[in-house]
Amino acid sequence: MKFDPQNMIAACTQHHIYWWHKSPLEADAWLRRHLGEQQYQYLFRLRDAYKEKQWFIPELTELLAQAEQDLASYGKHYEPHRPSL
């Protein structure tokens, strides 16, 4: 959701951290008033579309195997910079 332009508002640190996150009910009411009901509902449908992925054993096994291959070849492609003293 963070990359969807319709989910962005400009806010200074004071309002973002110390008002938005500290007063979620008030922030929600403000958002609903300023966006309108249709746009507000769009954001909640968007949020629901990004539910956390459930991982299954075959997918995790494949990811682990790929990570192990990448790690084994890491030293072949990377030479750390060590400044001479």
Side-chain angles (χ1 to χ4, degrees):
M1 285 182 64
K2 66 182 175 183
F3 298 115
D4 189 311
Q6 294 185 50
N7 187 41
M8 294 181 191
I9 59 171
C12 66
T13 303
Q14 181 71 23
H15 282 98
H16 179 77
I17 300 297
Y18 300 107
W19 177 73
W20 188 268
H21 290 287
K22 301 278 183 183
S23 307
L25 295 177
E26 187 180 340
D28 180 73
W30 178 89
L31 186 65
R32 192 180 288 258
R33 273 193 322 274
H34 285 79
L35 288 181
E37 193 62 30
Q38 185 177 1
Q39 186 65 18
Y40 181 84
Q41 292 304 322
Y42 165 81
L43 290 176
F44 277 86
R45 286 192 307 277
L46 183 66
R47 178 203 64 188
D48 293 342
Y50 285 99
K51 293 289 182 186
E52 189 174 327
K53 178 177 176 24
Q54 274 193 320
W55 292 94
F56 297 97
I57 298 298
E59 293 173 303
L60 293 172
T61 303
E62 183 180 333
L63 287 171
L64 182 58
Q66 184 62 52
E68 288 171 347
Q69 285 178 347
D70 293 346
L71 187 58
S73 66
Y74 182 72
K76 297 175 189 171
H77 302 292
Y78 176 74
E79 183 63 36
H81 173 70
R82 292 193 176 93
S84 55
L85 300 174

